Amino acid sequence: MAKESDKSAIVANVVDKPSELKVFFFLAVLLAPILSVVLVGGYGFTIWMSQILLGPPSH
């Protein structure tokens, strides 16, 4: 009985190729560009707000 449950657990972890491609395209086409825009925009906003509050960088 224990061996049957082990086999079903192994079979359940197998991912088929089309679903793997869908996940790859989701990550590559949607998530990576959105995250990069959010991170760069957030960094720029942080610099902008710090310059508003603290003044421009001095020499």
Side-chain angles (χ1 to χ4, degrees), residues 2 14 17 20 25 33 36 41 57:
V14 174
K17 196 105 173 153
E20 189 174 325
F25 282 119
S36 62

Side-chain angles (χ1 to χ4, degrees), residues 21-49:
L21 283 174
K22 287 179 188 176
V23 170
F24 170 75
F25 282 119
F26 171 75
L27 291 173
V29 175
L30 291 176
L31 196 61
I34 290 171
L35 279 177
S36 62
V37 167
V38 167
L39 289 173
V40 171
Y43 178 71
F45 181 78
T46 303
I47 298 297
W48 178 57
M49 286 304 293

